Amino acid sequence: MLASITDDPPILICADLQVEYLTPGRRHVILDGEAATVRCLELLTLWRTNLWPVMHLKRIAQAAWFNPASRLTDWIAEAKPRPGEMTFEHPLPSAYSSSRFVDYMSNIRSVRCILVGFSLDETILATAVDGFHRSHRYQIVTDAVACRQPGTGDAAAYKQSVVNVIGNFATVHASAELIRTSGAIAV
């Protein structure tokens, strides 16, 4: 189904676009983060240009490896939320661990969300599963998501496995499938 730009567009949810995930030597560094970041920024620019709703998620875990007081938890400069864009901090992997996020999602009329960003194997997976159980519709953009390097094995195979699991709870698209040249968005 296509929705024209005159319909309510889906909310673009930028998950954990934080410096922590791009800093070499950090435990959760994303090795292919540049490609996903470029695609996230392209989608973010499209949403901002069209004045469509944008939401930002920020992981603020209290674990030893994740110091919320550190500058590493700051937003990637180009993805920093602008005035009027919603932001939610979440302590656990799912965005639904934020009571503000739960309240917001429970009170909007038509829940259609596109998830992009980092923490594919944590935040994006957990949020898609939690949303599915609340009858919220999520889409994942495969070339605009990334996850950390697994301890062993092939990173691309690991990412594909996570995407396959998410496919049970959300619609999975590449950005080219999602955005049509006609100015419509596949939903």
Side-chain angles (χ1 to χ4, degrees):
M1 172 195 313
L2 291 178
S4 75
I5 57 175
T6 58
D7 293 338
D8 288 338
I11 299 168
L12 181 67
I13 301 179
C14 300
D16 303 338
L17 292 177
Q18 295 167 249
V19 175
E20 173 85 18
Y21 296 101
L22 297 178
T23 304
R26 301 298 297 171
R27 180 175 174 198
H28 283 308
V29 68
I30 296 171
L31 300 180
D32 63 344
E34 287 184 33
T37 302
V38 167
R39 184 62 67 206
C40 288
L41 293 176
E42 288 172 356
L43 291 168
L44 189 55
T45 299
L46 174 67
W47 254 253
R48 286 173 170 169
T49 299
N50 288 298
L51 302 176
W52 295 337
V54 175
M55 183 184 298
H56 300 269
L57 303 177
K58 185 177 187 180
R59 182 81 187 268
I60 55 163
Q62 296 293 326
W65 55 265
F66 201 99
N67 179 0
S70 166
R71 305 292 298 168
L72 294 172
T73 63
D74 288 350
W75 305 105
I76 295 169
E78 300 87 354
K80 185 176 180 180
R82 292 184 180 170
E85 295 177 349
M86 299 167 280
T87 60
F88 298 94
E89 294 180 340
H90 58 103
L92 300 173
S94 173
Y96 290 91
S97 66
S98 164
S99 59
R100 286 185 54 241
F101 182 82
V102 171
D103 288 344
Y104 178 79
M105 295 300 282
S106 298
N107 289 303
I108 58 177
R109 175 175 47 100
S110 176
V111 180
R112 297 181 307 141
C113 302
I114 297 173
L115 270 168
V116 299
F118 300 149
S119 304
L120 174 66
D121 54 345
E122 293 177 1
T123 298
I124 293 173
L125 172 62
T127 300
V129 171
D130 278 353
F132 175 83
H133 291 291
R134 290 171 168 85
S135 298
H136 298 163
R137 293 180 294 158
Y138 282 94
Q139 295 181 5
I140 309 301
V141 182
T142 57
D143 53 339
V145 294
C147 55
R148 62 190 166 93
Q149 176 76 26
T152 60
D154 178 29
Y158 177 68
K159 177 182 175 182
Q160 187 57 49
S161 296
V162 175
V163 168
N164 291 343
V165 169
I166 290 173
N168 294 311
F169 305 98
T171 306
V172 177
H173 292 288
S175 59
E177 292 176 59
L178 179 69
I179 300 169
R180 309 284 187 213
T181 56
S182 66
I185 305 170
V187 291

